[in-house]
Amino acid sequence: LEKAVASALGAAFGPEYNDPSKAALRPATKKTFGDFQCNAAMAIAKPLKKNPREVATELVERLEADATVQNTLATPLEVAGPGFVNMRLSDDYLSTTVEAMATEENCGLPKASQKQTIVVDYSSPNIAKEMHVGHLRSTIIGDALANCLELRGHDVIRQNHVGDWGTQFGMLLEHLGDNTDASISDLVAFYKEAKQRFDSDGDFKERARERVVSLQKGDAATLDAWRKLCDVSRVEFDAIYDRLSVCGLEEKGESFYNDRLSNVVEELESSGVAEVSDGALVVFDEKDKKKEKVPLIIRKSDGGFLYATTDLAAVDYRSKELKANRVLYVTDAGQSGHFKAVFQAAQRSQELGDMSLEHVPFGLVQGEDGKKFATRSGETVRLKDLLDEAESRCLTELQERDSDAEDLTELAKVVGIGAVKYADLSLNRESNYKFSYEKMLSLSGNTAPYMLYGYARINGIRRKAQEEVGVGKVVLKEDAERDLARHLALLSATIVDLERELRPNALCDYLFELAQIFNRFYESCPVLKAESDDIR
């Protein structure tokens, strides 16, 4: 349809308008507007020096003569308001599309016209620390985006930029060296013990700093101890990822980029992008001519590197080695300023070609009181404890509804974890959200349990049919059938829009509406009691 609109625009108003990006075609925001709305006339009326409704009318005349439009949309098309063109999918198109969705791979979702290599950088926990509620959103949102981009046929590289290097390891490794029998199975307790010594014991603090130097120089014994800490942490991380069904996440921690740091700094310096300020090597904002704003520090005055240096090395690796077309950084909104500065420095100093660097920010997880989501003692909630609590509450609810049912523990895991994930994805990612077990486990509203209820109903039809459910000609006789088919047909447009906008909540909105439409269909069109096999 975008191509058809572009072609019609070109034919009516000149070849410079034959551009799909000028089609301004989007899924309609309300059912009364049809299935799609074209706003092209509003955008091009001014340069054409014409009334938008006049432009829209000319566009409609061209579109209605187009074969693609005739095979897809119900005619006549509608010009609404100041110049919108409302479009409705035809019954024939809906029948054909739904039949294809039932038989083709991935519901007939078309592959992207231009396959890309896309890096999705998400989760990023710290070695020697347990994952906490702060890692929840990055892990869930990043994984959902990676899944959708893979569905579109892109080569997706999922990278976990773990914090596995830095000055804190001197403290941890020295504590481990002093207590060779110390248990590091409880990483939180081990970290607290080391931090307490570091803050109160001057001699230990000095030895910890010397240990950092040994680590950076590649001392064999120090590296062995460091690997031990990393291995224990990975076991904990993998247990969380398994529960969240996060797969294929490739670890590329800060330590991976150590060998690239000097070259990246040299490029920044030789290109004139970085300069010395108060002994440190920094990059000022290109627009900050008076150099009044805080710059991006690349190398400290003592020669040490920072997070920004590692991030720039990661950009260099993803550009030169991975040949990425697009890199998504899924982190909290508080890091927006940091990534803006990093991206600007990379674009000024490195040959990035057509590689796009995009920050995908998200808001904070809050308690129901709107404050920091924390334990009663004020500590950050461990992600493991959060998932345990979701499963426990779900199990209690299931037992209250049907105490005699089997496998409730496994069911509670599916519903409980699903509820946590869906609650996160269903909200505008840039907004802070109030974490509520009660709301996310509710059987009503835009929740995972409501979705799963619809899915259970579908499986119930299959079980009661007691035969293989085949796919025949789809006949649309009832309004409820048309509504369901029409919404199913919008799946591709929803996924394509998600690829562009990177907002999983749009897909959740689609699914919630689909579940509602299906439930109305289920009530008004009893499948197994249909009057004929063709309709059934």
Side-chain angles (χ1 to χ4, degrees), residues 175-363:
H175 183 57
L176 183 62
D178 289 347
N179 301 272
T180 53
D181 296 329
S183 172
I184 57 174
S185 58
D186 186 344
L187 290 167
V188 173
F190 181 81
Y191 189 94
K192 286 181 177 178
E193 289 171 6
K195 185 70 168 65
Q196 187 175 16
R197 290 187 69 191
F198 186 84
D199 291 339
S200 61
D201 186 337
D203 178 61
F204 176 79
K205 180 182 287 189
E206 184 58 34
R207 286 189 288 119
R209 287 172 174 163
E210 291 172 0
R211 181 73 75 165
V212 173
V213 176
S214 297
L215 178 64
Q216 292 173 339
K217 288 183 177 180
D219 174 69
T222 301
L223 281 174
D224 283 344
W226 170 75
R227 292 189 188 100
K228 184 178 179 181
L229 280 175
C230 291
D231 288 343
V232 172
S233 293
R234 288 190 191 101
V235 172
E236 297 293 328
F237 298 161
D238 288 344
I240 295 291
Y241 294 142
D242 285 345
R243 294 179 71 177
L244 293 173
S245 299
V246 172
C247 304
L249 188 52
E250 175 188 15
E251 184 180 310
K252 283 288 183 287
E254 293 169 356
S255 64
F256 176 80
Y257 302 103
N258 280 343
D259 295 341
R260 293 176 173 268
L261 299 180
S262 296
N263 289 339
V264 166
V265 170
E266 189 177 317
E267 280 185 10
L268 285 161
E269 209 165 6
S270 62
S271 64
V273 173
E275 59 187 87
V276 176
S277 175
D278 294 331
L281 189 68
V282 304
V283 177
F284 284 97
D285 188 315
E286 201 170 15
K287 297 178 181 178
D288 183 20
K289 302 300 182 183
K290 295 183 179 180
K291 300 180 181 178
E292 295 174 334
K293 297 179 182 178
V294 177
L296 184 72
I297 302 175
I298 304 302
R299 187 182 62 211
K300 295 188 294 184
S301 57
D302 63 4
F305 299 124
L306 294 99
Y307 292 127
T309 327
T310 305
D311 285 332
L312 285 164
V315 172
D316 183 69
Y317 169 74
R318 289 160 178 172
S319 172
K320 294 177 180 177
E321 301 295 329
L322 300 183
K323 309 294 183 186
N325 304 106
R326 192 179 188 190
V327 185
L328 310 180
Y329 294 79
V330 187
T331 76
D332 68 273
Q335 297 189 52
S336 294
H338 167 78
F339 281 110
K340 180 181 178 181
V342 168
F343 295 167
Q344 187 185 94
Q347 288 158 351
R348 289 170 63 192
S349 65
Q350 300 179 21
E351 295 293 332
L352 300 182
D354 65 349
M355 187 172 82
S356 168
L357 301 172
E358 302 170 48
H359 184 217
V360 185
F362 55 81

Side-chain angles (χ1 to χ4, degrees), residues 60 63 66 70 104 124 139 167 207 212 235 275 291 327 331 338 359 403 453 459:
V60 164
L63 285 172
D66 184 277
Q70 292 171 359
E104 294 179 8
S124 307
T139 304
T167 54
R207 286 189 288 119
V212 173
V235 172
E275 59 187 87
K291 300 180 181 178
V327 185
T331 76
H338 167 78
H359 184 217
S403 59
Y453 179 66
N459 286 332

Side-chain angles (χ1 to χ4, degrees), residues 63-95:
L63 285 172
E64 289 181 346
D66 184 277
T68 297
V69 171
Q70 292 171 359
N71 293 330
T72 307
L73 300 177
T75 53
L77 303 179
E78 177 189 8
V79 177
F84 304 116
V85 178
N86 294 338
M87 302 174 174
R88 288 176 172 78
L89 299 170
S90 68
D91 280 2
D92 285 344
Y93 175 78
L94 291 174
S95 296

Side-chain angles (χ1 to χ4, degrees), residues 108-152:
L109 180 70
K111 300 297 184 184
S113 56
Q114 290 186 321
K115 186 176 183 179
Q116 294 184 317
T117 297
I118 303 176
V119 176
V120 185
D121 181 329
Y122 64 101
S123 194
S124 307
N126 293 309
I127 294 294
K129 291 184 179 180
E130 285 192 286
M131 293 179 73
H132 55 76
V133 68
H135 298 111
L136 179 69
R137 303 207 73 187
S138 177
T139 304
I140 291 173
I141 294 170
D143 200 56
L145 292 175
N147 290 339
C148 290
L149 292 167
E150 280 184 345
L151 268 179
R152 289 283 284 146

Side-chain angles (χ1 to χ4, degrees), residues 151-168:
L151 268 179
R152 289 283 284 146
H154 296 298
D155 287 331
V156 176
I157 301 172
R158 304 160 187 254
Q159 289 198 336
N160 197 359
H161 192 91
V162 299
D164 66 351
W165 203 254
T167 54
Q168 75 274 20

